[in-house]
Amino acid sequence: MPRPSLPLNALRAFEASARHLSFTRAAIELCVTQAAVSHQVKSLEERLEVTLFRRLPRGLGLTAEGEALLPVVSESFDRMSDLLERFGDGRVREVLTLGAVGTFAVGWLLPRLPGLREAHPHLDVRLSTNNNRVDIAAEGLDYAIRFGNGAWHDTHAVQLFEAPLTALCLPEIAAQLRTPDDLRGQVLLRSYRSDEWDGWFRAAAVEKSPVPTGMVFDSSLAMVEAALQGAGVALAPPLMFERLLRSGQIAQPFETYVSRGSYWLTRLNSRAPTDAMIRFRDWIVSAVETAS
């Protein structure tokens, strides 16, 4: 499709002025004079034969034509900027947008990112964290790593691994615990899954489990941080807190576990895997196999 010669400088001047509603602030951003910005906008208006701005006593206002033009120009500059940032070392970087449960991201993924960079130096991962509530389509994600049973509507899921839960607490609290029944005298921190402590006490062969009275958390990450600060005993996956366990900051007083699901690598069924997605999937599956 043939394109007219695009007045890029004039479009940049218009876009910056429209965002700031000021020629002066646009000039500061673009490192030119206010007169230069005004001249570029005027030339664009003459070329298009429309008025883009209303000159007001204090600043600028967009006309209907300016309002129509702004989102198209802004999106185009954003897309060009994003693509140009992906070039490096003579090759375009492959972008992968990933959402992950915060506990998984901090406890498992981040320590392994150097291995991902070494294996795929041109894979540009954009990571956002959540508390297991995610909308892949609305958030524009390639993948989401979630905790559960793998059954999400219109979603393809690859199981990574189970992450069974157990009691985690400060070492000084752990020293007071001889049997699971000793937890009756402790504050038991809870997640929004109300049956987890009951399941753990059943696995520990405690006939009548105590009623948890501690705070309710939507994240194991926050719950274990509360335990670190002496707020009580957390029920969390030790696999996600190996560094704290190795350093002795947190202790695992019992070898009793209860499983409530697995971590899964998920994508929309309607989303055909890109090269970047395939590379990341193969890497994380291999990393899980190596760690197990």
Side-chain angles (χ1 to χ4, degrees), residues 7-22:
L8 292 178
N9 287 337
L11 289 169
R12 286 183 65 207
F14 161 74
E15 194 271 342
S17 300
R19 274 190 290 107
H20 294 292
L21 291 178
S22 166

Side-chain angles (χ1 to χ4, degrees), residues 148-230:
N149 60 10
W152 289 281
H153 182 63
D154 288 337
T155 298
H156 179 271
V158 175
Q159 186 177 23
L160 298 177
F161 52 81
E162 280 191 281
L165 313 176
T166 193
L168 300 176
C169 58
L170 288 174
E172 50 266 38
I173 294 177
Q176 304 170 26
L177 305 174
R178 297 291 180 267
T179 70
D181 204 57
D182 293 337
L183 286 168
R184 293 184 187 279
Q186 300 294 330
V187 176
L188 304 181
L189 306 175
R190 301 170 286 167
S191 82
Y192 58 86
R193 301 180 187 92
S194 58
D195 65 338
E196 288 179 345
W197 272 114
D198 283 342
W200 187 86
F201 279 112
R202 283 196 300 272
V206 174
E207 291 186 5
K208 187 176 180 181
S209 63
V211 177
T213 58
M215 289 181 62
V216 177
F217 296 85
D218 68 356
S219 160
S220 293
L221 205 58
M223 188 193 300
V224 171
E225 179 59 32
L228 272 171
Q229 297 185 27

Side-chain angles (χ1 to χ4, degrees), residues 81-133:
S81 177
D82 181 66
L83 180 59
L84 291 174
E85 286 180 0
R86 290 166 52 193
F87 280 91
D89 301 327
R91 178 176 171 181
V92 65
R93 298 180 63 83
E94 300 172 283
V95 175
L96 181 126
T97 55
L98 173 68
V101 179
T103 303
F104 181 96
V106 174
W108 195 92
L109 182 61
L110 293 185
R112 291 170 173 80
L113 283 184
L116 175 61
R117 286 194 295 268
E118 182 178 350
H120 301 291
H122 291 93
L123 188 60
D124 186 4
V125 178
R126 311 286 174 86
L127 174 66
S128 63
T129 59
N130 58 69
N131 61 356
N132 213 37
R133 292 174 174 84

